[in-house]
Amino acid sequence: MRSHHSHSGDYILHAKDHLEDIVREVIARGFKSYCLTEHIPRNNPADLYPEEKHLQISDLESNFDRFYHHARQLQYQYADQITLLVGCETDYIRPDFRFLIANLRSKYKFDMIVGSVHHVKEIPIDFDVSTWELAMRKCGAGTPRDLYAAYFDEQYDMLVDLKPPVVGHFDLIRLFSVEDSEQPISQWPEVLQRVERNLEFIIGYGGLIELNSAAIRKGWSEPYPRADICKMVLEKGGQFCLSDDSHGIAQIGLNFHKTLKQMDKLGITELSYIDLENGGTVIRKEIVAAIKADPFWNQYAQNDMTRY
């Protein structure tokens, strides 16, 4: 089993548990590889979340530096038990983030990164409904349609600038869209065009689109991205990888069994993953039929696994 996206309570305030405890639990669950991808430090006090208002930008920077070196130490310490990849999850709040992320990539030499967009018009779109609605009011006529279009435009800018190996929660913008979340993207032709443009760009440079099971714990019946976008990825020849986007031990591998059912339903027969090789990384593939034989799934038959 593998996951390409995770966080810990040591280094962000909205997660739980120590990073080393998470690594130990991942090993105990039988993961073959796991990516440690803490959020990058932001560069403007206006970007701080409510729980971070007591912090300075320098605090975020020093905290991220501690994460990186701790993760590298754990990568070495547990190398005989699991492949750990050390990376980060980006924000892309403004165009100047291209320089911030370029500097981080130069300084830290990540194994991989998860390229994500959590803001539109510099306003968070996955924090709560009220901020999602505020972002919507800043877009065009203030409709979900306008917000979706702006989101996928900002995502495209991120993709072009960063070419991230993994693209995080591709359609996160749908999270709080009560009326339109389950409606197909094709209801809005201009939004569909942007989605197809973004997918084709990702496929063109060889990026992986994560099947992110965190959407299920947040109330969806399926992972990010929703089925309509997954079908486009399949039709265009794109590659999927698997992520739990865990924010603590309780979320390690959470809802992977439901994600597997969605994969079967959509006809996804192959997953890609990032592996370490000769001091660098390589993308490998696994057949879903082989993944189903992984002993990882045995835990779902145990009575104490009801939290899944």
Side-chain angles (χ1 to χ4, degrees), residues 207-258:
L208 309 183
I209 297 161
E210 65 172 9
L211 292 169
N212 184 322
S213 66
I216 301 172
R217 66 176 163 82
K218 294 186 177 185
W220 284 16
S221 60
E222 59 189 325
Y224 306 110
R226 285 202 180 274
D228 58 336
I229 293 178
C230 286
K231 291 174 182 176
M232 293 183 217
V233 176
L234 289 170
E235 290 168 359
K236 295 176 183 296
Q239 301 179 80
F240 292 106
C241 66
L242 189 60
S243 295
D244 58 21
D245 196 355
S246 65
H247 284 62
I249 288 173
Q251 295 173 2
I252 294 170
L254 183 63
N255 291 313
F256 270 14
H257 64 311
K258 295 179 181 179

Side-chain angles (χ1 to χ4, degrees), residues 71-110:
R72 285 296 187 201
Q73 177 255 315
L74 295 173
Q75 183 184 48
Y76 175 79
Q77 180 179 343
Y78 291 99
D80 62 339
Q81 300 178 64
I82 190 172
T83 298
L84 295 174
L85 288 86
V86 178
C88 66
E89 182 184 13
T90 73
D91 279 296
Y92 201 82
I93 302 174
R94 290 171 300 278
D96 68 341
F97 266 61
R98 68 169 65 99
F99 306 112
L100 168 64
I101 296 165
N103 289 336
L104 291 171
R105 280 176 141 174
S106 176
K107 180 177 181 178
Y108 292 112
K109 312 300 182 186
F110 301 115

Side-chain angles (χ1 to χ4, degrees), residues 83-296:
T83 298
L84 295 174
L85 288 86
V86 178
C88 66
E89 182 184 13
T90 73
D91 279 296
Y92 201 82
I93 302 174
R94 290 171 300 278
D96 68 341
F97 266 61
R98 68 169 65 99
F99 306 112
L100 168 64
I101 296 165
N103 289 336
L104 291 171
R105 280 176 141 174
S106 176
K107 180 177 181 178
Y108 292 112
K109 312 300 182 186
F110 301 115
D111 297 324
M112 51 79 72
I113 70 170
V114 178
S116 299
V117 172
H118 303 93
H119 298 70
V120 172
K121 304 298 184 183
E122 303 185 26
I123 300 169
I125 49 86
D126 67 333
F127 184 74
D128 57 25
V129 173
S130 63
T131 51
W132 186 93
E133 291 175 341
L134 177 61
M136 180 172 64
R137 291 194 293 272
K138 297 286 186 179
C139 298
T143 67
R145 182 175 189 160
D146 295 298
L147 177 61
Y148 278 41
Y151 170 84
F152 287 112
D153 279 343
E154 295 193 23
Q155 183 186 66
Y156 184 69
D157 291 341
M158 180 274 293
L159 294 169
V160 170
D161 285 340
L162 306 184
K163 297 182 178 64
V166 174
V167 180
H169 34 62
F170 181 89
D171 55 352
L172 181 66
I173 193 61
R174 299 167 108 168
L175 180 59
F176 293 122
S177 185
V178 177
E179 295 182 1
D180 299 295
S181 175
E182 297 187 22
Q183 296 300 314
I185 286 289
S186 58
Q187 68 175 315
W188 298 321
E190 73 279 17
V191 175
L192 174 61
Q193 182 274 327
R194 288 167 167 82
V195 168
E196 291 184 324
R197 173 199 61 193
N198 293 11
L199 291 177
E200 289 166 4
F201 187 81
I202 295 165
I203 293 166
Y205 73 78
L208 309 183
I209 297 161
E210 65 172 9
L211 292 169
N212 184 322
S213 66
I216 301 172
R217 66 176 163 82
K218 294 186 177 185
W220 284 16
S221 60
E222 59 189 325
Y224 306 110
R226 285 202 180 274
D228 58 336
I229 293 178
C230 286
K231 291 174 182 176
M232 293 183 217
V233 176
L234 289 170
E235 290 168 359
K236 295 176 183 296
Q239 301 179 80
F240 292 106
C241 66
L242 189 60
S243 295
D244 58 21
D245 196 355
S246 65
H247 284 62
I249 288 173
Q251 295 173 2
I252 294 170
L254 183 63
N255 291 313
F256 270 14
H257 64 311
K258 295 179 181 179
T259 302
L260 181 64
K261 290 178 181 178
Q262 179 72 349
M263 290 161 56
D264 284 343
K265 182 178 178 181
L266 292 169
I268 297 172
T269 60
E270 186 178 74
L271 287 177
S272 297
Y273 66 96
I274 302 176
D275 200 6
L276 299 176
E277 181 177 87
N278 299 326
T281 59
V282 62
I283 293 177
R284 305 191 194 279
K285 297 181 184 296
E286 288 182 308
I287 302 302
V288 171
I291 295 171
K292 289 180 179 179
D294 193 310
F296 170 86

